[in-house]
Amino acid sequence: MGTTDSRLDQLRGSLPTRNHNARTVAALAANPGCARRGVMDAAGIDKTALALRLGFPMAYGQSPFAIVRGHAFEAQVKEQNGAGLRALLHGVLGVPADDVAEGEYAELGGDVPDDAPPDDRRPGREERVAGTRLALRRTLESARPGVCAILDHPLLPLDVAGSRAYLEPDAMACLVAGRLHVVEIKSFSVIDGGADPGKLASAARQAAVYVLALRQMVAVLGYDADVVSTDVVLVCPKDFSNQPTAAILDIRKELAVTRRRIARLARVDDLLAPLPAGLTFDVPEDAGREAAVDAVGMVPAAYLPGCLSTCELAYFCREEARACHSGHGEGGLVGALGTAIRGELGGIEDVGRALDIADGKCAPARGEEEIARVLRRAEALRREVLGETPPETPPETPPETPPGARHEPGRGPKARAEAAPEPIASVSAR
């Protein structure tokens, strides 16, 4: 069957590659049951290019204008070796200005300047990880009051489902009041002290991934992982200007959720095991779109509405989920309606089957009796409101009397039905 790396290379073929980042790790942790995303991310496949081949292109990600604005704002915050960032740390963390006025400013990443000589290339990922580890160790060993080192674009490794991801936070402030703080610089505005809830939640999930990776690196260096604070410094433009402002994000909840979900992710080897040998997503264009659809369909997906904001294959998976049925008519998978409805339906995975149970056309399986009663009651109320004739509900089979049990008069279903009061007429009947 070959090694894991060779199988991932075979799946990827000549498709464009894209490495893990905090966004992809947070998205994968948010939907741990999606084997398709796990395989795609482990193989490093650019899902935007694959979605185009499948016929479901998706305009996913930031616009070029937002990216340029974000880079310009980040450069403004970090200019003069982080002098502006130090001022923000002083204000938001409530520490004396002298505690953050001095310290090393280590540039550990960033793009190579356009006028750089050809030999001055950007270091490789493992080289940057080693540089980050060295700078972090140097800072922790030489820690003293009044000194705050700032690591610009460190690179942190994180093992996700058996494969290694490399994460690059915007900055990291070392040992402010004895703690390490991740700094996240975003280009969305904070207006009158408030920000867009969706963007704020996304920033918190990404920051939780950074904190988790940083804690693992600190533990490898032999220090207590709790030295990394769960208070993340968020830097954004203030109101309608480009003036930076800082706030504290408490990501304890997001960190616990991310840690638990990453631990539950299936290993890549387990995801690859059921796939047929020789499977590849790099289907020749002359083979047609259906060949690519069949290849991707070999890996099961777990589509949720939230995938529309986190995954480039969301349109394809949504169409696939809506087209699935188990012989009970159209409707698709329940997951396409959201996790809340899927939880309410208690294990019924097909929308058509749920509707058939509500109409009385399909008998519920063992353990589905309660949700069947709820569905039939909801269908009866819907028909009553619309003035439709209710369908003939098949009579319920009375439970068998266990051997040796004594039958008591007036306790069976027929006696209960006879003793039941007459139903009250509905409002429309009056």
Side-chain angles (χ1 to χ4, degrees):
M1 189 171 292
T3 63
T4 300
D5 291 340
S6 63
R7 292 208 66 190
L8 292 176
D9 290 341
Q10 183 184 46
L11 288 172
R12 183 176 57 253
S14 61
L15 288 171
T17 60
R18 179 173 294 179
N19 295 323
H20 257 310
N21 54 40
R23 291 177 184 268
T24 62
V25 173
L28 184 59
N31 189 5
C34 186
R36 181 175 296 167
R37 170 138 202 167
V39 170
M40 298 283 182
D41 288 346
I45 296 174
D46 185 352
K47 294 187 288 295
T48 301
L50 183 58
L52 187 61
R53 288 196 182 187
L54 295 171
F56 290 87
M58 185 174 187
Y60 178 79
Q62 289 182 302
S63 69
F65 304 102
I67 293 175
V68 171
R69 180 174 182 265
H71 287 170
F73 178 71
E74 181 178 339
Q76 176 187 344
V77 172
K78 295 179 179 178
E79 62 184 1
Q80 298 179 358
N81 288 334
L85 181 56
R86 293 180 188 276
L88 293 172
L89 292 173
H90 155 62
V92 75
L93 294 176
V95 295
D98 294 340
D99 287 357
V100 294
E102 299 180 2
E104 176 187 9
Y105 184 86
E107 295 185 3
L108 301 172
D111 297 327
V112 177
D114 295 335
D115 56 352
D119 293 336
D120 189 12
R121 298 184 180 90
R122 185 171 181 172
R125 291 184 299 185
E126 289 299 333
E127 186 178 352
R128 291 185 58 200
V129 169
T132 300
R133 191 179 292 113
L134 181 63
L136 186 58
R137 181 188 293 277
R138 183 172 62 247
T139 302
L140 292 172
E141 290 177 349
S142 62
R144 63 184 188 274
V147 176
C148 169
I150 294 178
L151 307 186
D152 185 5
H153 283 285
L155 194 65
L156 308 173
L158 180 66
D159 292 330
V160 180
S163 62
R164 171 156 289 197
Y166 294 89
L167 313 174
E168 186 175 343
D170 295 321
M172 184 168 59
C174 293
L175 293 178
V176 179
R179 305 295 297 278
L180 299 175
H181 292 268
V182 170
V183 179
E184 187 74 349
I185 302 175
K186 295 294 185 182
S187 60
F188 60 82
S189 299
V190 175
I191 301 175
D192 291 336
D196 182 272
K199 296 179 179 179
L200 202 60
S202 177
R205 289 193 296 268
Q206 292 179 43
V209 178
Y210 292 139
V211 170
L212 180 61
L214 180 57
R215 286 192 166 192
Q216 290 186 5
M217 178 174 283
V218 168
V220 170
L221 294 176
Y223 292 87
D224 187 359
D226 289 337
V227 74
V228 182
S229 176
T230 54
D231 290 336
V232 172
V233 179
L234 178 66
V235 180
C236 297
K238 182 179 181 180
D239 296 329
F240 298 100
S241 68
N242 217 32
Q243 182 69 25
T245 184
I248 290 294
L249 274 183
D250 185 357
I251 52 99
R252 284 177 294 180
K253 178 181 177 181
E254 288 81 4
L255 179 61
V257 171
T258 301
R259 183 188 294 113
R260 182 176 67 252
R261 286 177 171 174
I262 288 180
R264 290 174 52 195
L265 288 174
R267 292 186 58 84
V268 176
D269 295 339
D270 298 332
L271 297 177
L272 296 176
L275 301 183
L279 176 65
T280 180
F281 302 133
D282 185 21
V283 178
E285 294 186 5
D286 56 4
R289 171 181 168 274
E290 292 300 325
V293 170
D294 293 340
V296 175
M298 297 298 293
V299 186
Y303 171 78
L304 297 172
C307 296
L308 291 171
S309 60
T310 59
C311 184
E312 298 88 335
L313 293 176
Y315 286 165
F316 170 75
C317 295
R318 181 178 65 178
E319 184 68 19
E320 183 185 54
R322 288 175 173 175
C324 288
H325 60 86
S326 57
H328 291 274
E330 298 181 356
L333 299 178
V334 171
L337 304 178
T339 55
I341 296 179
R342 185 174 64 180
E344 290 289 340
L345 289 179
I348 300 177
E349 298 293 339
D350 188 88
V351 174
R353 182 166 175 269
L355 295 176
D356 285 350
I357 291 176
D359 287 336
K361 300 177 182 177
C362 175
R366 185 174 182 179
E368 297 176 346
E369 295 83 4
E370 182 62 30
I371 186 61
R373 283 193 288 269
V374 174
L375 288 172
R376 288 170 180 170
R377 176 59 178 163
E379 176 64 12
L381 291 174
R382 186 190 73 85
R383 290 180 178 274
E384 179 180 337
V385 170
L386 298 178
E388 298 180 359
T389 304
E392 295 184 2
T393 304
E396 296 185 5
T397 305
E400 298 181 359
T401 304
R406 186 177 61 182
H407 175 72
E408 299 181 12
R411 297 296 296 270
K414 181 178 180 181
R416 287 197 299 268
E418 292 175 352
E422 294 185 2
I424 302 175
S426 63
V427 176
S428 57
R430 293 178 183 176

